[in-house]
Amino acid sequence: MEKYIYLLIIIHASFGGIALIAGFIALIFKKGKNIHRKSGLVFFYGMILSGISALIISVLPNHENPFLFAIGIFSLYFVITGKRALNFKKKNPVLMADKLISVLMIFTGTLMIFLPYIYSRTINLILVVFAIVGIFFSVKDLLLYRKPDRLRKAWLKLHLGKMIGGFISATTAFVVVNNFISGISAWFIPGIIGGFIIFYWIKKVAKPKVTLKK
């Protein structure tokens, strides 16, 4: 069993590293260009494989890790919804899967908040923060799904915000595992920095283009 778990850990770390590099490339290159799209796809699939393997590892005997599970859930939610946001530029996108993902995130986030208290009468701050962020975005998405016109206009902001959110999750895991920052701050500093990056890009794409008169 340990051999298979070790293999899963290698898969998780390898694809997580690939996703980090590809995500950084997608972040710095001009949006919509070929290199952005290709590196974005590598980032997406790398995160999917890394996230799924994280969920499996975190529930295996002698390897139970609620923090790894939270990162896995968080990463998968953001990259999947970020990728699916590309469909929202269509006139009448099918939103059944998107609504289901949001409901599952709300349900999982609720469990992340209350299960530690039920089992050990303690509140896990990191899990609570991750859960609240996931629930907040999911509720916001569900409200937006009820307004197709606004959803169609917001597809690019949603895509950028969610994909960068997935990149923040991967960066957080990398920082924590390698002890680049000590203490609980390691869990939040990448998110704070990433929040400014998201704000920058959202403002950039929202800025109206000015055309010069001839």
Side-chain angles (χ1 to χ4, degrees):
M1 174 64 79
E2 284 298 322
K3 290 181 180 179
Y4 292 113
I5 294 175
Y6 180 73
L7 178 60
L8 275 174
I9 293 172
I10 294 296
I11 291 172
H12 167 70
S14 299
F15 282 105
I18 291 170
L20 267 178
I21 296 170
F24 181 74
I25 294 171
L27 191 62
I28 63 174
F29 277 88
K30 189 173 181 179
K31 308 301 174 275
K33 294 296 182 180
N34 195 40
I35 189 168
H36 171 79
R37 291 197 298 268
K38 288 184 177 180
S39 57
L41 279 175
V42 173
F43 168 72
F44 173 76
Y45 288 112
M47 288 295 291
I48 291 294
L49 291 170
S50 181
I52 291 173
S53 57
L55 295 183
I56 297 171
I57 294 166
S58 65
V59 297
L60 290 175
N62 301 320
H63 291 270
E64 296 90 346
N65 190 327
F67 303 114
L68 183 62
F69 184 85
I71 286 288
I73 287 290
F74 212 61
S75 301
L76 289 172
Y77 165 73
F78 273 109
V79 295
I80 291 173
T81 55
K83 179 74 160 54
R84 290 192 61 81
L86 296 173
N87 297 323
F88 301 157
K89 55 186 172 181
K90 299 176 182 177
K91 190 171 183 180
N92 294 303
V94 179
L95 300 174
M96 183 64 68
D98 304 281
K99 293 177 181 178
L100 179 60
I101 291 169
S102 294
V103 170
L104 287 174
M105 182 67 244
I106 293 170
F107 177 73
T108 305
T110 303
L111 292 180
M112 286 164 62
I113 294 172
F114 292 106
L115 279 183
Y117 182 78
I118 293 172
Y119 282 105
S120 60
R121 291 295 185 268
T122 58
I123 295 294
N124 190 303
L125 178 61
I126 294 172
L127 289 183
V128 168
V129 171
F130 274 80
I132 289 174
V133 172
I135 291 171
F136 171 80
F137 278 101
S138 297
V139 171
K140 192 175 178 182
D141 285 346
L142 286 173
L143 293 174
L144 192 57
Y145 295 155
R146 299 170 63 182
K147 301 175 181 178
D149 291 337
R150 283 186 58 191
L151 182 65
R152 190 178 182 188
K153 293 177 182 178
W155 74 267
L156 182 55
K157 293 180 183 179
L158 290 171
H159 172 68
L160 288 174
K162 295 293 184 63
M163 295 303 269
I164 296 173
F167 182 75
I168 292 169
S169 298
T171 304
T172 301
F174 181 75
V175 168
V176 170
V177 168
N178 292 281
N179 294 314
F180 288 128
I181 304 173
S182 60
I184 197 171
S185 58
W187 289 90
F188 301 116
I189 288 177
I192 294 170
I193 296 173
F196 284 106
I197 296 173
I198 292 174
F199 178 78
Y200 166 79
W201 278 110
I202 295 300
K203 282 300 218 181
K204 189 175 178 66
V205 299
K207 188 176 181 180
K209 295 180 179 178
V210 178
T211 55
L212 297 175
K213 294 181 179 180
K214 294 183 179 180

